[in-house]
Amino acid sequence: MVSTRPVRFTTLARDPATAARLGRLETPHGALETPAFMPVGTQATVKGLTPDLVREAGTRMLLANTYHLALRPGEETVRALGGLHAFMGWDGPILTDSGGFQVFSMADRSKITDRGVTFRSHLDGRLLELTPERAVAIQEALGPDVAMCLDHCPALPASRDEIAAAVDRTIAWAARCRQAHSRPDQSLFGIVQGGSDEELRGRCAEALVAMDFDGYAVGGVSVGESREEVRKALEVTTHRLPEDRPRYLMGVGRPQDMLAAVATGIDLFDCVLPTRNGRNATCFTARGPVKLRNAAHVRDPGPIEEGCPCLACRRFSRAYLRHLFNAREMLGPILATIHNLAYLHRLTASIREAIAAGRLVQLHREVLEALGP
């Protein structure tokens, strides 16, 4: 039977020693193999990079943000200009966050009730009400391939009662998003909350699976908790999600954490880490971070990382990049961002190859030995 879902997931191979899987995600704007990393393009741009540079770095799918685009330029402006793909000149798959993360990150500017969230704009102070129905309507106007349900992402540490209340609200809001969503060429993903509490995660996952979403995300794992709590949250969540749907871990981009998550069955990741670090002169490599402002690089003729095929490593030295950052030239952050994205895409390609070869555990061990826990 052929699936009629606008986003379809197929498992191509499994790692024999873990729950990791090599998959293929098909969307209205193209397909990609998973596990995969999605760069964050909050304002309909991956900061500093043209779409061609983003794709050349290895990106196949990226993320934009509902809250920010609703404020500026406004979803109706994006719709009038042909939708998000045409607006930002990106012809690959796009996922939009619902604004649920801003419930956490802008807690001092927001008020949450069972109806939804009211934000005080960080731009001009005007009010923006984001209900589940409004979050869906904005994303339908923006037109990404994947829209996310509005969820309540509580800051951690929090009491069990507070996390339980967030789970109840997340479930209720997911049902309202499911009811409101009507765009046939767009998939809707539910988001599992519950901290590291097995019972709460299980209850949330069970309720969302019963709603039959096109995919599922594990949320609330980059909001102040320890790595051990993240590990526990994944262990009690991922295996509860359907085998035939994509699984997305929100806000994680550290290589060691990505490998650990893949072993539980996660397929998709997003994080600001590679782009933010790049803008601040820190680059990922297989041997650990390179801080380009360090004096050790003042006459270093070598690339950021030997063997890396990205534009920054093919053409420029660490010495030149250090000069760009010290001179506050915009090319420095651009090139460092390109490298960091290329590194994570090479890492996920290695993960896919390791799953297919049945050697993910070995790859994980090698990465931990090189980078630390």
Side-chain angles (χ1 to χ4, degrees):
M1 181 178 177
V2 178
S3 172
T4 59
R5 298 180 186 277
V7 168
R8 298 179 296 278
F9 179 82
T10 306
T11 297
L12 304 177
R14 295 182 183 278
D15 180 67
T18 71
R21 62 217 195 141
L22 171 66
R24 179 177 174 83
L25 186 65
E26 298 175 71
T27 83
H29 286 86
L32 62 151
E33 287 198 340
T34 62
F37 177 80
M38 300 180 290
V40 176
T42 299
Q43 309 267 13
T45 175
V46 177
K47 284 183 172 37
L49 305 189
T50 66
D52 288 346
L53 289 173
V54 174
R55 184 171 288 279
E56 183 184 325
T59 302
R60 294 297 173 263
M61 184 172 185
L62 52 77
L63 178 144
N65 184 269
T66 296
Y67 163 83
H68 288 281
L69 293 175
L71 286 179
R72 182 176 56 188
E75 72 275 13
E76 291 305 328
T77 295
V78 175
R79 191 208 300 265
L81 292 167
L84 199 49
H85 292 88
F87 183 62
M88 66 185 293
W90 173 257
D91 61 2
I94 300 175
L95 179 150
T96 47
D97 185 6
S98 66
F101 182 73
Q102 278 67 44
V103 177
F104 156 74
S105 65
M106 299 179 62
D108 60 333
R109 289 177 168 268
S110 63
K111 179 181 179 181
I112 187 167
T113 67
D114 288 343
R115 172 179 166 81
V117 192
T118 303
F119 294 95
R120 182 71 67 178
S121 168
H122 67 289
L123 298 175
D124 56 16
R126 64 189 167 98
L127 292 177
L128 170 69
E129 184 183 41
L130 202 59
T131 63
E133 294 80 9
R134 176 84 172 108
V136 166
I138 293 169
Q139 291 179 92
E140 290 192 345
L142 294 173
D145 301 83
V146 177
M148 301 300 298
C149 286
L150 184 65
D151 63 319
H152 182 183
C153 178
L156 298 178
S159 70
R160 191 179 189 280
D161 286 347
E162 290 173 318
I163 298 173
V167 164
D168 290 341
R169 190 169 281 129
T170 293
I171 293 170
W173 285 359
R176 288 164 58 188
C177 287
R178 190 81 172 85
Q179 180 66 30
H181 189 257
S182 62
R183 184 162 176 161
D185 63 341
Q186 181 183 78
S187 282
L188 183 65
F189 284 18
I191 304 174
V192 181
Q193 291 289 347
S196 58
D197 187 285
E198 182 171 5
E199 189 275 328
L200 292 176
R201 283 277 177 187
R203 177 155 63 85
C204 194
E206 182 179 342
L208 296 183
V209 169
M211 295 180 204
D212 193 31
F213 287 102
D214 299 316
Y216 295 87
V218 180
V221 295
S222 297
V223 291
E225 73 284 46
S226 68
R227 292 196 182 102
E228 177 61 24
E229 287 174 313
V230 174
R231 183 194 62 77
K232 185 176 179 184
L234 287 170
E235 283 184 353
V236 302
T237 305
T238 311
H239 71 278
R240 300 175 187 268
L241 303 177
E243 285 282 340
D244 63 344
R245 311 292 163 85
R247 300 162 175 167
Y248 161 34
L249 179 59
M250 306 179 81
V252 170
R254 185 171 170 268
Q256 302 94 314
D257 299 334
M258 290 173 63
L259 274 155
V262 164
T264 72
I266 292 293
D267 308 300
L268 293 171
F269 299 88
D270 83 280
C271 191
V272 299
L273 193 63
T275 47
R276 180 177 291 167
N277 279 13
R279 294 195 302 276
N280 288 286
T282 297
C283 291
F284 293 147
T285 77
R287 295 185 177 182
V290 170
K291 298 183 183 298
L292 289 170
R293 285 196 177 96
N294 285 359
H297 305 308
V298 66
R299 293 187 178 180
D300 189 337
I304 299 169
E305 184 171 24
E306 291 289 347
C308 174
C310 82
L311 174 63
C313 291
R314 289 199 318 267
R315 298 280 302 276
F316 305 104
S317 67
R318 291 187 183 189
Y320 178 65
L321 290 164
R322 180 180 185 273
H323 159 69
L324 292 176
F325 276 100
N326 287 345
R328 298 186 178 180
E329 287 288 342
M330 66 176 69
L331 184 58
I334 289 170
L335 291 171
T337 298
I338 288 171
H339 171 79
N340 280 352
L341 291 182
Y343 169 83
L344 280 186
H345 292 313
R346 284 190 290 114
L347 175 67
T348 51
S350 296
I351 290 171
R352 294 192 295 270
E353 292 169 4
I355 293 171
R359 58 179 301 275
L360 183 68
V361 172
Q362 182 180 341
L363 175 64
H364 194 179
R365 186 183 306 117
E366 291 168 357
V367 170
L368 291 178
E369 288 174 355
L371 301 182

